[in-house]
Amino acid sequence: MSKFKIIDVKRSIFEDNDADAARLREELKEENTFLLNLMSSPGAGKTTTLKRTIALLKDDLKIGVMEADIDSDVDAQTISETGVRTIQIHTGGMCHLDADMTRQGIREFGTKDLDLVVLENVGNLVCPAEFDTGSTKNVMILSVPEGDDKPLKYPLMFSVSDVVLINKCDTLSVFDDFDKQRVKERILAVNPDAVVIFISAKTGEGFEEWIEWLKSSINKYQNSKEIE
């Protein structure tokens, strides 16, 4: 018989965070603020995609952005140039945001007058997907140069994302081993409900479909009494 007690800390942390995330979703629903959690690996194009998205939406929606990084304020500086309300969150060395960190940012930020708040999560293909931030929807970006095998190697983020944006499609002629049909099949094998949209944040390719999905989701959320 063992003389020591074993505590499953990881499970406890996730359970507590999930409960906190559910409470945060309820709070955001009360003020009708749509929180979009945007995830990807470093360099996939989150900030560039976000800049083009803001340009296409800011005349119709009140938008705010919370930038999360281990350190620096480079992305916050970039996004602030779009004219939307911006705040920088430093994670103190952690490679993700959880519900409590998100709430702290929202408390400082103020979201009651905003239709859409985008949380640009820390650039990492694993850790951010492990923690529910309390977001309304999760979106991730996979860039063409990363390869079409990533849904097989890092399935968790794909499995929790409502939309997967395949970015940098303007480079397909260079990265000609990237197969669009194959990557879509691999994503849907992990998450049959995922919406897969091929885009280029540089040229604007595919943004009409992406913006249509986002506007529709926000409209449905704001006109429903139910939490997404």
Side-chain angles (χ1 to χ4, degrees), residues 75-133:
D75 290 340
Q77 289 283 356
T78 300
I79 293 300
S80 68
E81 293 171 2
T82 68
V84 301
R85 190 185 309 170
T86 310
I87 192 172
Q88 180 71 57
I89 301 173
H90 285 162
T91 63
M94 302 189 75
C95 59
H96 68 275
L97 284 178
D98 58 25
D100 183 60
M101 295 177 192
T102 303
R103 178 182 276 102
Q104 290 180 53
I106 286 173
R107 187 181 299 124
E108 293 294 325
F109 193 47
T111 58
K112 289 183 178 180
D113 62 333
L114 298 176
D115 300 305
L116 169 65
V117 174
V118 181
L119 174 61
E120 185 175 343
N121 217 314
V122 181
N124 188 294
L125 207 53
V126 180
C127 301
E130 295 183 320
F131 291 85
D132 189 342
T133 60

Side-chain angles (χ1 to χ4, degrees), residues 164-207:
V164 180
L165 299 174
I166 310 296
N167 190 28
K168 303 187 182 181
C169 285
D170 54 292
T171 67
L172 280 167
S173 61
V174 178
F175 298 94
D176 56 6
D177 57 340
F178 188 99
D179 189 303
K180 292 172 69 175
Q181 183 60 34
R182 186 166 58 207
V183 75
K184 185 172 183 177
E185 289 173 355
R186 288 172 171 174
I187 292 168
L188 295 179
V190 172
N191 180 0
D193 297 323
V195 176
V196 181
I197 304 174
F198 294 90
I199 67 167
S200 168
K202 181 178 180 179
T203 68
E205 174 188 346
F207 266 74

Side-chain angles (χ1 to χ4, degrees), residues 22-34:
R23 288 191 294 270
L24 180 55
R25 257 187 293 276
E26 291 176 358
E27 294 164 13
L28 290 170
K29 182 57 181 172
E30 288 178 3
E31 58 186 53
N32 231 7
T33 300
F34 188 102

